[in-house]
Amino acid sequence: MLNAILPGTAFLAAGRRVLGAVTLVVLLALAGGAVWLATGGRRTALQAAVDTDQLLWIVAGVGLIALLWAAVVVAGVVLLFSRRRRALGALVATVLVAAVAVPAVWAGQLALTQRDLIAGVFDDGDSATVEETPDPFGDKERVNVLLLGGDGGVGREGVRTDTVIVASIDTDTGDTVLFSLPRNLQDLPFPEDSPLADVYPDGFEGANESDSLLNAVYRTGPEWYPGILGPTDDPGADFLKLGVGEALGLSIDYYVLVNLEGFSRLIDALGGITVNVNYYVPIGGEPSLGIFPDAYIAPGPDQHLDGARALDFARGRFGMSDYDRMARQRCTIQAIIDAADPMTLLRQYQRLAATTQDIISTDIPRSALDDFVDLALLVQDASITSVVFDPSVIDPAYPDYDRIREIVDEAIAPAPPPGGATPPADPAEEPALPSEPAGPADGPGTEEPTADDPVADLGDACAYDPQQAAAARAEGQPPTRDD
């Protein structure tokens, strides 16, 4: 039995010292390699995990090690059991070989699942806005990724992207700024050298006001002008990359679209998420029809939500502004990151991978995954801030895109203080600019949030506010459909 845990010990017990020593040395080398991969070699391990060819080699390697391990176990049983006890020896060998095979099969299945996930999500299809190059990041100082939340599903016509966030990541430090645009933003501009600027010279416009909003670009643009951008697997995403990039003054490198129809399954696969709730968040309801919510998520700290409730938390908007919802969506993203601890990922990985393939699409090429591994390791220890373009910054119906670009520039590269002086530590001394609402202090639904700085730390914005929560509870739960 010890030989199954420490291969080679049976050889030593049987007097085969050289063979036993060699086997133990090989074991120690393998163990040392595993420890290195889990610590200093994390980059190498992660790069192998996003390479479909290397994943096949990993499967083969795991199989070979399992076979050699099983051979050592059987050899140990043969050496240590006498002929009169062959039946017992065969039973022991069978049990021990099975004990070796089970984790090997599990590891092989994980590697194959990961390979299917990489091949399925990063399929290197056609894109009108991504150029295939050997070095995708090159000398870029920042990589900008457009994060979209689509509401496609049963009973819905097409996809509307109610969630539009740009993650701008510093390639040297990993510091990230999230820029959130409201779904009712109008007159989305396009670059002058794009064919879209010719058909939308005054910004994006649809057949009516509803079809002229930002959340309609993904669906309406390609319907009106199919093929205008050339061969592409997702013309709606390319429309948005060009438009949102022009609006923010950024070059959008890639997009990631999450279909919210399957969002709850992803949360359930993680075992739920934990969020802070500072005011009553509606569950269901339809503001345009005056249909009240079925219930509410009550204020409280560290609330554990399953997939269905997490989706309600991210999407609820009855009696609230879009900016309240945008803030909660960013908090939901942070909660998902927090919930994705290594043990949960390992335990639920096959389920997570299957769900991810169903709900996520992207134009990130496989050739860029190595660079994203390096970036992910930086982001883990970097700062994440967010900027929301709420009514204190812009009028969504008549947006000042020059002002939007100025704010983006300030958030990404704050101007140094005059004379190289140290910036003031007191927030009251900093320049007054509009900012992201962390949730209205006097209850949900406030259309004009008041704040002083457009850049907010995501952790602070998602923190529990006992005073705000107490005020919400004192006011009482808003009416529901049954009241």
Side-chain angles (χ1 to χ4, degrees):
M1 291 177 66
L2 180 61
N3 189 50
I5 301 170
L6 294 174
T9 50
F11 298 152
L12 294 176
R16 306 291 181 88
R17 294 182 179 179
V18 174
L19 183 57
V22 169
T23 306
L24 283 172
V25 167
V26 172
L27 172 67
L28 290 174
L30 290 172
V35 171
W36 176 76
L37 287 173
T39 53
R42 281 193 306 161
R43 178 176 181 271
T44 301
L46 290 172
Q47 286 180 330
V50 296
D51 187 311
T52 52
D53 292 333
Q54 289 194 49
L55 285 166
L56 278 181
W57 282 107
I58 289 172
V59 173
V62 168
L64 178 60
I65 291 172
L67 285 174
L68 292 175
W69 206 306
V72 170
V73 168
V74 172
V77 170
V78 170
L79 287 173
L80 295 178
F81 278 79
S82 66
R83 292 185 178 181
R84 289 180 298 174
R85 302 171 65 194
R86 279 181 177 174
L88 178 59
L91 176 62
V92 171
T94 301
V95 172
L96 294 181
V97 168
V100 170
V102 168
V105 170
W106 176 74
Q109 286 178 334
L110 279 183
L112 289 175
T113 299
Q114 173 70 3
R115 186 176 186 276
D116 290 342
L117 174 64
I118 296 298
V121 175
F122 306 95
D123 58 6
D124 288 352
D126 291 327
S127 171
T129 53
V130 175
E131 295 182 9
E132 277 287 350
T133 60
D135 185 9
F137 280 20
D139 57 357
K140 292 180 180 178
E141 295 182 358
R142 306 192 73 85
V143 170
N144 303 306
V145 182
L146 178 64
L147 308 176
L148 302 172
D151 63 355
V154 178
R156 291 181 179 270
E157 181 183 349
V159 173
R160 282 185 178 265
T161 52
D162 283 347
T163 302
V164 178
I165 300 172
V166 172
S168 182
I169 311 165
D170 188 305
T171 55
D172 287 331
T173 65
D175 290 342
T176 301
V177 185
L178 302 178
F179 297 102
S180 296
L181 290 171
R183 67 187 181 95
N184 59 338
L185 185 71
Q186 297 191 33
D187 302 327
L188 186 71
F190 295 99
E192 291 182 1
D193 60 352
S194 164
L196 299 182
D198 296 332
V199 296
Y200 296 113
D202 299 318
F204 182 78
E205 187 176 2
N208 51 52
E209 183 176 353
S210 176
D211 278 345
S212 300
L213 305 180
L214 176 63
N215 71 341
V217 173
Y218 184 92
R219 181 189 69 183
T220 305
E223 283 183 357
W224 280 35
Y225 299 101
I228 189 172
L229 295 176
T232 176
D233 290 344
D234 196 331
D238 287 324
F239 266 69
L240 280 171
K241 285 175 68 176
L242 293 169
V244 171
E246 181 69 11
L248 298 180
L250 298 173
S251 175
I252 305 298
D253 300 293
Y254 308 108
Y255 83 90
V256 177
L257 170 65
V258 178
N259 190 336
L260 297 181
E261 180 74 9
F263 179 76
S264 60
R265 289 189 286 125
L266 179 65
I267 302 295
D268 284 333
L270 284 170
I273 60 173
T274 300
V275 298
N276 295 306
V277 184
N278 291 319
Y279 48 85
Y280 285 97
V281 178
I283 298 174
E286 178 49 63
S288 61
L289 300 177
I291 300 174
F292 284 91
D294 298 314
Y296 288 85
I297 302 172
D302 298 327
Q303 296 211 41
H304 191 76
L305 308 179
D306 62 13
R309 282 294 169 266
L311 187 58
D312 291 328
F313 177 78
R315 301 186 73 182
R317 65 189 181 95
F318 188 94
M320 315 184 75
S321 72
D322 281 338
Y323 307 97
D324 300 323
R325 181 168 67 167
M326 289 161 63
R328 293 197 310 274
Q329 287 171 348
R330 288 187 299 283
C331 295
T332 303
I333 292 173
Q334 183 64 56
I336 291 173
I337 294 172
D338 293 340
D341 62 271
M343 289 308 298
T344 298
L345 291 178
L346 282 175
R347 191 170 56 249
Q348 298 288 345
Y349 194 73
Q350 288 178 296
R351 184 180 174 192
L352 282 166
T355 302
T356 300
Q357 281 187 262
D358 289 343
I359 70 172
I360 290 183
S361 59
T362 183
D363 62 356
I364 296 175
R366 289 183 209 169
S367 58
L369 294 182
D370 278 0
D371 288 329
F372 270 105
V373 164
D374 292 335
L375 209 55
L377 293 174
L378 288 173
V379 170
Q380 280 186 327
D381 301 317
S383 65
I384 300 179
T385 54
S386 65
V387 176
V388 62
F389 292 100
D390 60 41
S392 67
V393 181
I394 61 168
D395 180 353
Y398 303 98
D400 183 347
Y401 285 109
D402 289 334
R403 177 58 183 144
I404 288 176
R405 296 178 192 115
E406 288 176 4
I407 292 174
V408 170
D409 290 341
E410 293 168 7
I412 288 176
T422 303
D426 184 357
E429 298 179 32
E430 297 185 7
L433 289 171
S435 86
E436 157 181 11
D442 57 349
T446 302
E447 290 293 338
E448 296 291 340
T450 58
D452 300 320
D453 190 340
V455 183
D457 182 271
L458 199 59
D460 294 340
C462 301
Y464 182 61
D465 185 338
Q467 293 183 338
Q468 183 184 353
R473 286 192 294 267
E475 188 173 340
Q477 177 181 288
T480 64
R481 185 180 305 189
D482 296 330
D483 290 343

